């Protein structure tokens, strides 16, 4: 029986993870579930899955969770704060940690899981964007397994040979092709983008995701962050990663080889597939996902991304090439800008403008030999600068 901690249990990835976990009660058990503020949903999950620990990052929400579970005979031990997240990520009875907290907030517990030698099911791409060198080194030192949950990176993982860590060039890989839906505005006239509302940006055409990730998909910043993530996970650089707009979201990514072969992973757009793959790997286990009907799909379309339409994707490529602190600044500024857009303080094009302005305002610094506190300070300074730019635009 494998113990599992689910970081971000009340989000869409967390809910899907618990669905897969419940399909295999003889194989997995929930040891710890965590959430930020949604005490009601976490309480319901605790009653269903009976974890030993529950973590609420927000102290007020933690007290509310205690009230909601007061009559539960075997109620979990309730922990609070980032310290609680780190604790349940490194428990000796836990083998797998689903890292599904959105944004840089997931960095500390994800790093704790890697340092503790866990199988880290990585749905928190920001951990690699902000602190890729630290996370990869922690995994190498402890023997932790980093298995990608993003559908694109999981697809690439499935299409690569087992010895890809020897170097992609040594196993005959020419490049990685990351697919992207293009979001809801891929065909809008550019002069209409300033009128985009948060509701429109969150209405993703194929995936059911949280609000922040939905906006990132609409700007294609999500794909830009995934480019940086792919470089870390697969030991490559941006010259060997190409983004392909694929509106149907049926091909989740592809790998092109030197002999002309292109391998692709296909499936219905349901996150339970990559979750089940990572939980069962190297075996295949049931995910509950409906099999793909190619006759219903009927056609597959591909387009080259337009950097004029998607300036956030351009900024992500530029940050990846610049290296150093640039990716951390990019991520922090984007989190502030997206929150401001969702609060209607800036318009949709303002997201890219705030991110670009923050990158221009802060000097790029080397991260060689630097630790987590340095990166967190970079993150803080970038957020402050981005907030200033939001106020200026407002």
């Amino acid at each position: 029986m494998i113990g599992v901690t689910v970081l971000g249990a009340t989000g869409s990835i967390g809910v899907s993870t618990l669905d897969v976990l419940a399909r295999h009660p003889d194989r997995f058990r929930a040891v710890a579930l965590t959430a930020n503020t949604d005490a009601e949903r976490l309480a319901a999950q605790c009653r269903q899955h009976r974890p030993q620990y529950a973590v609420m990052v927000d102290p007020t929400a933690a007290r509310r969770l205690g009230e909601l579970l007061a009559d539960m005979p075997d109620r979990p031990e309730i922990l609070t704060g980032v310290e609680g997240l780190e604790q349940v990520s490194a428990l000796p009875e836990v083998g797998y940690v689903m890292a599904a907290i959105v944004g840089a907030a997931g960095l500390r517990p994800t790093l704790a899981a890697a340092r503790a030698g866990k199988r880290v099911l990585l749905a928190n791409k920001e951990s690699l964007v902000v602190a890729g060198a630290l996370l990869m080194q922690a995994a190498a030192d402890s023997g932790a397994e980093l298995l990608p949950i993003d559908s694109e990176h999981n697809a690439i993982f499935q299409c690569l040979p087992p010895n890809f860590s020897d170097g992609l060039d040594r196993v005959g890989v020419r490049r990685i092709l990351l697919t992207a839906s293009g979001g809801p505005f891929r065909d809008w006239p550019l002069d209409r983008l300033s009128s985009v509302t948060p509701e429109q940006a969150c209405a993703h055409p194929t995936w059911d995701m949280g609000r922040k990730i939905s906006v990132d998909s609409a700007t294609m910043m999500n794909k830009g962050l995934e480019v940086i993530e792919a470089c870390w996970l697969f030991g490559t650089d941006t010259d060997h990663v190409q983004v392909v707009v694929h509106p149907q979201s049926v091909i989740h990514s592809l790998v092109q080889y030197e002999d002309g072969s292109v391998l692709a992973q296909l499936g219905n757009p349901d996150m339970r597939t990559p979750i089940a793959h990572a939980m069962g790997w190297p075996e295949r286990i049931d995910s509950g996902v409906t099999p793909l009907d190619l006759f219903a799909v009927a056609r597959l379309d591909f387009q080259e991304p337009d950097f004029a339409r998607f300036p956030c994707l351009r900024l992500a490529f530029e940050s990846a090439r610049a290296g150093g602190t640039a990716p951390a600044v990019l991520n922090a500024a984007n989190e502030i800008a997206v929150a401001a857009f969702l609060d209607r303080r800036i318009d949709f094009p303002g997201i890219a403008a705030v991110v670009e302005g923050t990158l221009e305002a802060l000097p790029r610094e080397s991260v060689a030999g630097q630790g987590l506190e340095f990166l967190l300070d970079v993150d803080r300074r970038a957020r402050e600068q981005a907030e200033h730019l939001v106020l200026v635009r407002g």
Side-chain angles (χ1 to χ4, degrees):
M1 185 73 72
I2 300 170
V4 181
T5 285
V6 183
L7 301 171
T10 59
S12 60
I13 297 294
V15 170
S16 293
T17 300
L18 291 173
D19 181 87
V20 173
L21 187 148
R23 294 173 186 275
H24 302 276
D26 58 332
R27 184 165 184 153
F28 306 109
R29 65 185 179 93
V31 173
L33 305 180
T34 86
N36 185 19
T37 59
D38 194 346
E40 282 72 17
R41 185 169 223 180
L42 190 64
Q45 291 176 333
C46 287
R47 290 184 182 277
Q48 179 181 354
H49 298 281
R50 306 283 173 173
Q52 295 170 239
Y53 301 89
V55 183
M56 298 297 308
V57 178
D58 180 73
T60 301
R63 289 191 291 273
R64 175 60 178 157
L65 181 65
E67 295 169 357
L68 292 169
L69 297 178
D71 64 338
M72 184 176 172
D74 54 344
R75 76 172 190 169
E77 180 180 347
I78 299 174
L79 306 174
T80 62
V82 176
E83 295 78 9
L85 296 177
E86 291 178 305
Q87 181 178 333
V88 299
S89 297
L91 292 168
E93 59 266 43
V94 166
Y96 295 177
V97 175
M98 168 56 75
I101 296 175
V102 176
L107 174 55
R108 283 189 181 273
T110 302
L111 192 56
R115 286 170 171 164
K118 309 302 183 185
R119 173 177 289 192
V120 182
L121 312 181
L122 192 63
N124 173 258
K125 65 178 66 67
E126 292 86 356
S127 293
L128 280 174
V129 172
V130 175
L134 279 181
L135 187 57
M136 297 302 290
Q137 188 60 54
D141 291 343
S142 69
E145 297 174 307
L146 297 182
L147 297 188
I149 297 299
D150 275 342
S151 61
E152 297 83 359
H153 301 85
N154 183 265
I156 294 163
F157 184 81
Q158 293 190 51
C159 293
L160 288 172
N163 62 333
F164 74 84
S165 59
D166 292 343
L168 295 189
D169 56 336
R170 297 186 65 180
V171 296
V173 172
R174 177 171 291 176
R175 61 180 173 175
I176 288 168
L177 305 175
L178 278 175
T179 58
S181 72
F185 311 125
R186 61 177 175 262
D187 298 320
W188 279 38
L190 292 179
D191 59 6
R192 283 190 62 196
L193 293 180
S194 60
S195 67
V196 167
T197 66
E199 292 75 21
Q200 291 170 323
C202 291
H204 195 279
T206 50
W207 291 96
D208 180 15
M209 305 180 293
R211 283 162 61 81
K212 193 268 181 182
I213 298 178
S214 294
V215 175
D216 280 351
S217 179
T219 64
M220 282 192 71
M221 177 62 87
N222 193 49
K223 201 56 47 182
L225 298 177
E226 288 175 3
V227 168
I228 299 171
E229 181 184 11
C231 291
W232 282 112
L233 284 172
F234 306 117
T236 189
D237 56 44
T238 56
D239 291 339
H240 297 90
V241 180
Q242 181 177 357
V243 173
V244 179
V245 176
H246 168 51
Q248 291 86 0
S249 298
V250 169
I251 295 178
H252 298 300
S253 275
L254 313 92
V255 175
Q256 185 178 67
Y257 286 85
E258 292 291 350
D259 62 6
S261 299
V262 178
L263 302 187
Q265 188 266 338
L266 288 73
N268 282 321
D270 190 318
M271 288 304 299
R272 290 177 297 172
T273 294
I275 290 167
H277 176 267
M279 290 183 73
W281 184 81
E283 301 175 38
R284 299 274 181 171
I285 63 175
D286 175 48
S287 66
V289 176
T290 303
L292 179 65
D293 183 350
L294 287 174
F295 300 108
V297 174
R299 58 180 288 176
L300 301 172
D301 297 308
F302 306 96
Q303 304 166 18
E304 188 173 355
D306 178 3
F307 282 164
R309 179 180 299 277
F310 300 113
C312 283
L313 181 60
R314 169 182 59 81
L315 292 170
F317 267 100
E318 291 173 357
S319 296
R321 295 186 183 110
T325 54
V329 171
L330 173 91
N331 178 73
N334 180 65
E335 289 190 20
I336 295 299
V338 170
F341 167 72
L342 289 171
D343 289 341
R344 304 178 194 275
R345 293 190 289 146
I346 60 173
D347 61 10
F348 187 73
I351 297 173
V354 168
V355 173
E356 186 160 25
T358 305
L359 285 165
E360 290 174 350
L362 297 182
R364 182 177 68 86
E365 302 173 68
S366 172
V367 298
Q370 299 289 355
L372 180 60
E373 295 307 318
F374 170 79
L375 292 169
L376 293 176
D377 183 63
V378 170
D379 179 88
R380 177 190 58 78
R381 286 185 281 125
R383 289 172 190 273
E384 290 175 353
Q385 178 63 32
E387 283 284 9
H388 169 71
L389 293 176
V390 166
L391 291 174
V392 170
R393 291 186 66 85

